[in-house]
Every structure is written in C-alpha cells, then in structure tokens.
Amino acid sequence: NGWLSVFGNMMGDAARLYRLPFDPTEGVRMLPVDAPSKCLTVPELNALLKAMLEVAPQWYPLTLTLAVTGMRPGAATSLRWENIDFERKCITVDHAHWRGIIGKTKTGTNRELGMPSELVDALRALRRELIVSQHAGLAQGWVFATGRGTLRNSGVLSKPLRAACKAAGIDKPVSPSWFRHTLSNLVTKRAGMRVQKAITGHTTDRMALHYSDVDLNERLAVVSEIAAEVAPKVAHHGNG
C-alpha cells in the first residue's frame, strides 16, 4: 500500500503536468489489511509525550498541539501566531496547507479549539525561544516553521515519533494522525459525541450547525481534563 500510494501521487502529478486526459491510477484502491486501532491509551500517550520531551524536545510543542487539540497535521503545521489567543486559551483553525499551498480546512469550516494550560505554557515558551533567536519564521508569523522560515510538511514528526515510541516502549506504528484519533476517542468517552464533533470538526455545514451550541468553555473543559493526565509537568518561566 505504501508503494501504491507513492506511485499514485507520481502518476497524479504527471497527469497534471503533462495534461493527460486522465490519471491512470484513478480508482485504484489500497489492498485490504488488518489495520490496528489508531488510538493510544492515556498511559501510552503520557509515556509518549514524556519520551518526546526527552529524546526530541524541539518537537514537543508541535506534538503536544496535535495531542490535545485534535488538529489535522496540515492545519497544525501552518498555524500562525495570530491564530492563537493566549488570554482566551483558544486556537482558531481557519486554514491548512498541503505541500506548502495554503487553503481552507479540509471541511471548509472554521472552528475554535480550547488550549489547556499545558499547551499555553508550551507555546509561550516556544514563542520566547523564537523571539530570542530571531527565528526566520517570525516574519511570516508561523508557529512551527523550518529554519529557513518555510512551512513544514505534515510528515515532519515521523522520525521523532519513532524515536519517542522506542524510548517509551510503545510497539505501535504511531503517526501524527494517531493523535486526532486518540483525542476523539478520549473526548467521546468523557463528554459524548456532541462535544467530540465540535472539537474535531465536521464533514458538512449542516453538521457544524447542529453542534454549534458546544461553546469554547465546554470544549476547553474536556481537553483540559485530558491534558492534565497526559502532558508531562514542565517548568516554564515568564508569560511570553
């Protein structure tokens, strides 16, 4: 399936580049496999975040962002500081990127996500570091930019996650998308589908309207409860 995916991307690009009448791989399906559940338990998520803080601390803020907001990787890696409201403890998700191209979110809708205190502290600390080093990404306002100030691809955590899983003793093929599945599962168990849908987003405007009565405080309350259990205790100084 990995090879099929790569080949499909190549043929899709070739069809567009050479203006072929059709993509030869369109409609080719992945082979059926017995895929494991893409969810971590609370102890596993806690161990993974602790390990990430130890073996690859530079990736901890992005990992924690994915873990406690349920954002899609393309939305998280294109976050701007203007999307983050530290006072309201809120992140506004209104865009995402694919291969550096900024566009609407996958569902085409905007939403507000609650930021638990652990994430507020981590992002404030990150911002202080970027300002002190005068990071290239500050010019465009990117939160998680490369050293050149450009957007990171959504698979940037693949290697750090493998290292963190090994250190944590987690024998699962964890990828960035697992955090969204995990948070969705934990929120559903604690607060039900209504809050889970409001946090993770919706496939249609009709569904978004149906769950629009879940306010920011309600969303923040449940993710704060989860974050308190899974996020390592880190000492941060100053407000940033």
Side-chain angles (χ1 to χ4, degrees):
N1 280 336
W3 284 108
L4 282 174
S5 178
V6 171
F7 184 63
N9 288 335
M10 291 171 61
M11 292 304 298
D13 289 344
R16 288 187 293 273
L17 179 62
Y18 296 106
R19 299 181 180 179
L20 301 180
F22 63 93
D23 175 359
T25 60
E26 186 174 349
V28 176
R29 298 180 179 179
M30 297 292 102
L31 300 173
V33 294
D34 294 326
S37 169
K38 293 184 178 181
C39 290
L40 296 167
T41 63
V42 167
E44 286 175 335
L45 183 53
N46 176 248
L48 178 57
L49 289 172
K50 284 182 178 178
M52 185 66 78
L53 194 57
E54 293 174 1
V55 304
Q58 70 273 28
W59 298 112
Y60 177 73
L62 176 55
T63 305
L64 184 63
T65 299
L66 292 170
V68 300
T69 67
M71 295 174 67
R72 293 182 174 87
T77 52
S78 62
L79 268 180
R80 288 190 172 97
W81 290 110
E82 65 187 40
N83 297 117
I84 298 175
D85 187 331
F86 288 113
E87 297 305 316
R88 294 180 62 223
K89 293 188 175 182
C90 169
I91 295 178
T92 300
V93 182
D94 59 9
H95 67 273
H97 87 100
W98 170 248
R99 297 183 180 180
I101 300 175
I102 301 293
K104 293 182 178 181
T105 61
K106 186 174 181 180
T107 59
T109 58
N110 301 343
R111 67 186 188 280
E112 291 185 333
L113 301 176
M115 276 199 305
S117 299
E118 291 81 0
L119 182 56
V120 169
D121 292 342
L123 292 182
R124 275 181 165 160
L126 173 63
R127 183 168 174 79
R128 286 195 296 271
E129 293 173 7
L130 297 181
I131 292 174
V132 169
S133 66
Q134 282 299 287
H135 194 280
L138 287 173
Q140 297 295 326
W142 304 125
V143 178
F144 302 114
T146 67
R148 300 187 305 276
T150 56
L151 289 171
R152 296 188 182 278
N153 67 66
S154 57
V156 69
L157 285 178
S158 296
K159 289 183 179 179
L161 279 175
R162 285 198 293 271
C165 282
K166 183 177 180 180
I170 298 174
D171 187 20
K172 294 181 179 180
V174 179
S175 70
S177 64
W178 279 52
F179 295 114
R180 182 173 169 82
H181 289 280
T182 298
L183 186 69
S184 177
N185 180 53
L186 294 177
V187 170
T188 300
K189 287 181 177 179
R190 295 167 189 238
M193 288 292 293
R194 171 174 159 272
V195 178
Q196 181 266 325
K197 291 291 186 182
I199 291 175
T200 59
H202 321 285
T203 56
T204 67
D205 290 340
R206 183 178 179 182
M207 288 179 67
L209 181 63
H210 180 68
Y211 293 104
S212 62
D213 63 326
V214 182
D215 64 19
L216 180 61
N217 289 333
E218 191 170 358
R219 303 177 197 193
L220 179 58
V222 67
V223 296
S224 292
E225 179 184 324
I226 294 170
E229 294 184 34
V230 303
K233 304 303 178 184
V234 182
H236 295 294
H237 305 285
N239 293 326

